Amino acid sequence: MRIAILTSEAVPFVKTGGLADVSGALPKALGEHETDARLILPLYDQIDRRLLNDKIIENVSVEWRGRVHAVRFLCSDAAGAPAYFVHAPEFFARPNIYGCQDDHIRFAFFSRAALALTKHLDWQPDVVHGNDWPCGFAVAELRARRRYDSFFQNTKTLFSLHNVGYQGLFDAGDLWWLGFGDAPERDDFMLERTASALKAGMIAADALSTVSPRYAREIQTPQQGHGLDWLLRARSNRLIGITNGVDYEIWNPETDPHIAANFSADDLSGKRECKIDLLRRFSLPEESDRPILAIISRLVGQKGYDLIQLVAEPILRTGAFFIALGAGAKEYEDFLQRLHDVAPQQVGIYKGYAGEPLAHQIEAGADMFLMPSRYEPCGLNQMYSMRYGTVPVVRATGGLDDTVQQFDPRTGTGTGFKFGPYEAGALLEKLREALYFYARPDDWPKIQRNGMTVDNSWAAAAKKYLELYQELAKL
Ligand code: ADP
Ligand code: GLC
């Protein structure tokens, strides 16, 4: 089974969020099943060239704006599966990987070049698996190509929705020269009066997946469908929710090279050392009995920062340390800065994208991990937290609801604390509940161990993807 996984980010090459973790882990996990899964990505400036191998593929013919371009691809084995990178500096040598005015053009080119590569290699994919709006172009193009290009006649498409809030919107006037100006492709893209790469992928794909079962249901409602719920309801028989896994080769406190001391569910003593180390890193007093509340996230509306802002003062009054790592909207970065300035002995902040080590150190050293998301397709940090004995306090939405089980002191079961309504009061109440149990030495280690022993490995998810690919291949 040949699977071409197209993605705009993947660990260990380039990452802004969970999509990279997932794209890096899935092909490796599929490798256990004797599939031939290969990754295709843009070659951004941000990718460390030392991860590439010596292989260069020259002269891949890519038709673009009426001309045939000879495009070069570079290669790597660092993801544990073959990875190919489209070398097009005009599009990908930029200070940021997203957020350019011509993103739709950049990723349309990427999509076209990725398909051209499979042809150049004479490697006929059974499934092209596109992820999020940047790959919507490839999914749309593939359906069109099947009409006239025999190479792709038996290739099916899976389009994975990691976040329906990002729709790849652009001026519909550009559809002409991107090659999607005629019906039916043009209509597939149209969302009111703009074009959406996400919508086109949703319509064109042979199957759709999202990253948790609850999110798969939520996006079919007007409240969570970001204006596309009608389409997802219409395609619900082709939509499946597969919960992301955790790559325990990377996120494992027993072997993690980034943390001050390794520890496990059987012996948590190293976690105390990690806590001291974390306090030191943020120049906070080394009071290891005081709880540390942590958050790592992109600073965007999705992640619940407006709730945190509302309860920041009462959180500080609990006496807990608050450590935040985040990059994104200036409004939230300013808020974090103010919070730190008010209580420099209690609040530790890192504004910006920190890379892997600091994220691991926070997971290892914190006591509780906060995810009050407005919506959360899956969420990975709550699962990393559980493995590191860091108890998640989350809002019951999307994958957070599917993966965190509320602690029940009567039975001793549960892995964290969950609140329902998107309200500051509900968040604060849950946080107080978690702090109450933190102070009870009979309960807290139980909650930690419950989380640490949950198996969220990729094996189960990879098997579901494989079954889906096999079903598609039979269509
Ligand atoms: P999302 O994909 O919506 O950002 P996830 O929980 O799925 O949310 O994944 C977020 C990933 O990005 C995690 O691996 C997290 O550790 C990482 N991350 C987020 N923000 C930062 C940051 N500022 N610095 C380092 N890692 C970050
Ligand atoms: C998205 C979602 C996040 C999910 C990640 C990987 O960025 O916001 O919830 O975990 O993709 O699927």
Side-chain angles (χ1 to χ4, degrees):
M1 167 92 35
R2 287 184 292 267
I3 318 293
I5 301 179
L6 275 53
T7 182
S8 53
E9 49 182 285
V11 162
F13 308 112
V14 57
K15 166 167 168 178
T16 69
L19 172 61
D21 292 1
V22 172
S23 305
L26 178 61
K28 249 197 309 190
L30 288 170
E32 307 279 311
H33 297 271
E34 295 185 9
T35 50
D36 181 1
R38 306 187 186 183
L39 277 173
I40 311 182
L41 296 118
L43 185 70
Y44 305 104
D45 260 13
Q46 289 78 353
I47 292 176
D48 183 347
R49 300 305 196 258
R50 287 171 300 187
L51 293 168
L52 304 177
N53 60 28
D54 296 336
K55 203 164 135 197
I56 297 177
I57 302 166
E58 300 277 8
N59 295 325
V60 175
S61 300
V62 180
E63 270 186 61
W64 182 248
R65 302 189 73 177
R67 273 186 48 213
V68 177
H69 297 253
V71 176
R72 169 187 294 175
F73 281 73
L74 303 184
C75 305
S76 173
D77 306 302
Y84 302 91
F85 299 87
V86 184
H87 182 65
E90 180 190 347
F91 296 126
F92 303 118
R94 303 278 176 94
N96 296 304
I97 78 165
Y98 310 115
C100 309
Q101 260 210 319
D102 59 346
D103 276 358
H104 60 295
I105 300 170
R106 301 166 66 220
F107 290 109
F109 181 84
F110 161 67
S111 284
R112 178 136 332 140
L115 296 184
L117 172 73
T118 63
K119 207 165 171 176
H120 180 93
L121 297 174
D122 198 22
W123 181 77
Q124 221 162 3
D126 294 292
V127 179
V128 167
H129 180 175
N131 292 279
D132 276 350
W133 77 262
C135 305
F137 297 101
V139 174
E141 177 161 339
L142 208 124
R143 192 177 64 167
R145 284 270 194 113
R146 281 202 296 236
R147 289 199 297 269
Y148 59 86
D149 187 340
S150 62
F151 183 81
F152 291 110
Q153 214 145 47
N154 295 316
T155 300
K156 305 298 188 314
T157 52
L158 169 63
F159 192 38
S160 287
L161 311 171
H162 297 261
N163 197 330
V164 178
Y166 297 86
Q167 305 191 337
L169 300 177
F170 59 95
D171 185 338
D174 286 348
L175 282 169
W176 279 110
W177 62 268
L178 291 176
F180 299 104
D182 293 318
E185 283 74 42
R186 182 186 162 75
D187 304 331
D188 292 354
F189 275 91
M190 291 308 292
L191 188 58
E192 302 189 351
R193 291 164 73 183
T194 51
S196 161
L198 186 78
K199 182 191 164 228
M202 280 181 181
I203 291 190
D206 295 305
L208 298 169
S209 70
T210 67
V211 287
S212 69
R214 177 159 171 177
Y215 190 62
R217 295 192 299 275
E218 286 173 348
I219 52 179
Q220 296 180 51
T221 68
Q223 294 77 26
Q224 298 268 32
H226 298 272
L228 287 165
D229 45 292
W230 57 277
L231 176 53
L232 290 159
R233 282 196 301 279
R235 300 220 64 202
S236 62
N237 63 335
R238 306 241 43 103
L239 169 66
I240 181 178
I242 302 177
T243 307
N244 290 331
V246 172
D247 187 338
Y248 288 128
E249 276 178 29
I250 298 178
W251 296 93
N252 182 353
E254 293 176 45
T255 53
D256 194 326
H258 300 302
I259 63 180
N262 292 119
F263 59 91
S264 67
D266 295 330
D267 179 6
L268 271 156
S269 52
K271 189 164 170 77
R272 203 177 181 84
E273 247 180 270
C274 293
K275 184 166 180 179
I276 297 284
D277 175 65
L278 182 62
L279 290 168
R280 264 190 217 135
R281 283 180 190 279
F282 282 91
S283 309
L284 295 168
E286 291 170 29
E287 296 166 19
S288 67
D289 288 334
R290 259 167 87 178
I292 302 182
L293 195 58
I295 180 163
I296 303 174
S297 77
R298 294 179 294 114
L299 299 177
V300 293
Q302 175 195 344
K303 299 294 179 181
Y305 257 92
D306 42 352
L307 291 192
I308 297 178
Q309 274 175 311
L310 288 172
V311 293
E313 274 178 36
I315 289 180
L316 293 187
R317 279 202 296 274
T318 66
F321 289 114
F322 182 77
I323 291 182
L325 163 59
K330 181 160 184 315
E331 147 193 21
Y332 299 129
E333 290 199 359
D334 290 348
F335 156 70
L336 287 177
Q337 188 61 54
R338 282 197 306 274
L339 200 61
H340 174 261
D341 294 346
V342 172
Q345 295 292 303
Q346 199 180 350
V347 176
I349 58 167
Y350 185 109
K351 294 178 297 178
Y353 185 79
E356 293 294 283
L358 188 61
H360 288 239
Q361 287 144 11
I362 293 175
E363 287 292 5
D367 296 297
M368 286 165 220
F369 197 94
L370 196 53
M371 290 181 84
S373 306
R374 184 182 284 278
Y375 73 94
E376 196 61 73
C378 180
L380 295 168
N381 278 117
Q382 80 280 12
M383 294 193 272
Y384 301 157
S385 297
M386 285 192 246
R387 192 54 154 206
Y388 284 74
T390 300
V391 175
V393 178
V394 306
R395 178 159 174 259
T397 183
L400 296 175
D401 196 29
D402 285 342
T403 58
V404 177
Q405 193 195 348
Q406 166 67 39
F407 177 62
D408 179 347
R410 283 167 308 162
T411 56
T413 55
T415 54
F417 295 88
K418 282 201 284 198
F419 65 99
Y422 190 75
E423 287 164 11
L427 161 60
L428 190 59
E429 204 176 302
K430 239 340 129 181
L431 207 52
R432 289 202 176 118
E433 185 181 323
L435 287 165
Y436 169 80
F437 284 106
Y438 173 81
R440 294 174 64 91
D442 285 345
D443 289 313
W444 195 253
K446 215 183 286 167
I447 312 172
Q448 288 180 298
R449 289 204 174 89
N450 288 348
M452 293 179 87
T453 49
V454 169
D455 181 6
N456 283 317
S457 59
W458 262 101
K463 201 161 153 269
K464 288 190 185 148
Y465 278 106
L466 191 62
E467 283 163 9
L468 189 53
Y469 297 147
Q470 282 162 345
E471 249 174 65
L472 281 172
K474 278 193 227 132
L475 286 181

